[in-house]
Every structure is written in structure tokens, then in C-alpha cells.
Amino acid sequence: DGGITQSPKYLFRKEGQNVTLSCEQNLNHDAMYWYRQDPGQGLRLIYYSQIVNDFQKGDIAEGYSVSREKKESFPLTVTSAQKNPTAFYLCASSIETGYGYTFGSGTRLTVV
Amino acid sequence: DAKTTQPTSMDCAEGRAANLPCNHSTISGNEYVYWYRQIHSQGPQYIIHGLKNNETNEMASLIITEDRKSSTLILPHATLRDTAVYYCIVRVDQGAQKLVFGQGTRLTINP
């Protein structure tokens, strides 16, 4: 079945370490997105990519970096520059036009 | 993209219809209304979308007013599993337009 896979589901890191969250899709979608969600809050866009080797900053890109070397993959690196990295991270993808986004199941990152 | 306004929370009895309102008074002619829901600690799930006609699928119905300034998502026979946060979003259905999520409505279905 087609879908989006995020791994791992839970991730713990020490403060000051960079960490990379994986997002893979086999839906043949061109566009991919990373969102952050804090407790009791809505989703906020970090980065998005419309096509391979191209990506744009979202509303809260500071302290994050991404790459899009393959259509299927859009990894997110949370760097040590991100002041408050503990959050729930969601990856999504979409075709150029259509019924909207397909989301992964999320990665819950805790930095101690 | 136009901004949406939703109630913060709602309650509904199991088996009854849940009607979730959304105001989008600044919606433009080419913007669609989308509804997603997020069950606790999961990724949001697409429910339904529409432009100006009412829409129905196996999950829900979407009623859009004639002036398109508001809409209502209807879950016809709510179950406990429908307890979730429901997001109403308007966006142009063109290109890889990003979805902008507001706070949504926290719907609680009571037994």
C-alpha cells in the first residue's frame, strides 16, 4: 500500500546534538512538507519542497535544515541552533493538484 | 490563503449528528474549503473538500453557504472514534500550495 513512513516514532537526544528525522513516501507525490506541532497547538510549517533538489522555508525554518535529493525522501535535520526542539514532527506529501495532503504518523522528539 | 475561524471546542452525543461550523469570510473565488481531522498523537487525516457545491463522502458531508463565507462539516452519526481536533482550511487548489493550519475545533463525542 502507498503511504508515508516516518521514523523513528519516538526519539530522544541530548541538548546540543543534531538529529535527523526520516520521511519516505511511495505515493509518487512531487511535493513534501514538514510541520511541527507543540502540545495543544495547531501545525506550523517548517520547510516544504515542490520538486527534487528544491525546497523553501516555511514559517519557522530557523534551526532546521532539509534536503530533497530523491523524490521519495525528505529528511529533516533539527540542529543545535533550534532553541526549543522538543515537539511532535509531521511529514506530509501531496500531488500537484488533488485532494490534499497525506500525512505520516509523526515523530515525537524529546531533547533532554 | 484566507483565514478561517472555528469554535475552540464542541461536544456531541454518540449517535447524533455532529455539526462543525467554520467561518471564512475573506475566501476568494478560486479557494477550496478543506477539512482535516487529527486524532490524538497521529497525523492529520483528510476528510472532505469542496468549492461551492455541497459534498458528501463516506466520512462526512460538507455544506457551503451560497456566499461561500461559511461552511459546516457534518458527521451524520458520530461515534467515540470521531473524537479529534477538526481543522477547516481554505486554499487554492493549484500547484503545491502549502496548507496553513489554525487551532481547529476539539470535538468530544460523549457516550
Side-chain angles (χ1 to χ4, degrees), chain A residues 75-110:
Chain A
L76 173 75
T77 297
V78 184
T79 75
S80 56
Q82 168 51 233
K83 292 185 177 16
N84 187 16
T86 294
F88 187 48
Y89 290 87
L90 286 156
C91 179
S93 70
S94 68
I95 59 176
E96 185 174 0
T97 56
Y99 297 124
Y101 291 14
T102 300
F103 280 85
S105 56
T107 293
R108 191 167 299 280
L109 173 66
T110 302

Side-chain angles (χ1 to χ4, degrees), chain A residues 13-14 27 31 38 40 68 72 79 81 86 91 98 105 107 109 112:
Chain A
R13 278 294 181 270
K14 290 184 178 180
L27 299 165
D38 293 288
R68 186 84 187 279
E72 301 78 20
T79 75
T86 294
C91 179
S105 56
T107 293
L109 173 66
V112 296

Side-chain angles (χ1 to χ4, degrees), chain A residues 9 31 33 35 37 40-43 45 48 50 88 90 95-101 103-105 108, chain B residues 34 36 38 40-46 49 87 91 93-103 106:
Chain A
K9 191 169 178 67
Y33 313 80
Y35 287 86
Q37 187 173 37
Q41 303 296 312
L43 283 68
L45 182 65
Y48 64 105
Q50 296 183 350
F88 187 48
L90 286 156
I95 59 176
E96 185 174 0
T97 56
Y99 297 124
Y101 291 14
F103 280 85
S105 56
R108 191 167 299 280
Chain B
Y34 278 80
Y36 284 77
Q38 185 177 24
H40 182 63
S41 295
Q42 297 181 22
Q45 174 192 24
Y46 165 82
H49 79 292
Y87 296 99
R91 57 162 270 192
D93 209 13
Q94 207 172 38
Q97 297 291 326
K98 52 189 187 292
L99 283 178
V100 178
F101 287 79
Q103 298 298 309
R106 182 170 298 278

Side-chain angles (χ1 to χ4, degrees), chain B residues 35-108:
Chain B
W35 283 85
Y36 284 77
R37 74 179 182 184
Q38 185 177 24
I39 295 169
H40 182 63
S41 295
Q42 297 181 22
Q45 174 192 24
Y46 165 82
I47 301 173
I48 199 168
H49 79 292
L51 183 62
K52 51 187 175 182
N53 297 322
N54 297 339
E55 303 287 344
T56 295
N57 63 20
E58 65 278 4
M59 289 182 68
S61 294
L62 174 61
I63 308 298
I64 302 174
T65 58
E66 195 167 340
D67 63 7
R68 300 204 333 116
K69 292 186 177 182
S70 65
S71 60
T72 301
L73 178 75
I74 301 172
L75 308 178
H77 304 287
T79 71
L80 298 179
R81 287 179 292 182
D82 291 322
T83 293
V85 177
Y86 287 77
Y87 296 99
C88 169
I89 301 163
V90 293
R91 57 162 270 192
V92 175
D93 209 13
Q94 207 172 38
Q97 297 291 326
K98 52 189 187 292
L99 283 178
V100 178
F101 287 79
Q103 298 298 309
T105 295
R106 182 170 298 278
L107 175 66
T108 302

Side-chain angles (χ1 to χ4, degrees), chain A residues 5-105:
Chain A
T5 302
Q6 288 188 245
S7 60
K9 191 169 178 67
Y10 298 95
L11 190 56
F12 295 87
R13 278 294 181 270
K14 290 184 178 180
E15 193 173 344
Q17 290 181 334
N18 291 355
V19 59
T20 298
L21 281 58
S22 169
C23 178
E24 304 278 334
Q25 54 102 355
N26 60 4
L27 299 165
N28 201 33
H29 285 174
D30 286 312
M32 297 186 74
Y33 313 80
W34 274 105
Y35 287 86
R36 169 186 171 133
Q37 187 173 37
D38 293 288
Q41 303 296 312
L43 283 68
R44 293 184 290 166
L45 182 65
I46 305 172
Y47 269 97
Y48 64 105
S49 167
Q50 296 183 350
I51 196 169
V52 174
N53 292 323
D54 186 50
F55 48 83
Q56 288 80 41
K57 293 182 179 180
D59 301 317
I60 54 165
E62 186 175 351
Y64 299 98
S65 66
V66 293
S67 63
R68 186 84 187 279
E69 297 176 3
K70 298 187 300 181
K71 188 175 185 178
E72 301 78 20
S73 179
F74 191 40
L76 173 75
T77 297
V78 184
T79 75
S80 56
Q82 168 51 233
K83 292 185 177 16
N84 187 16
T86 294
F88 187 48
Y89 290 87
L90 286 156
C91 179
S93 70
S94 68
I95 59 176
E96 185 174 0
T97 56
Y99 297 124
Y101 291 14
T102 300
F103 280 85
S105 56

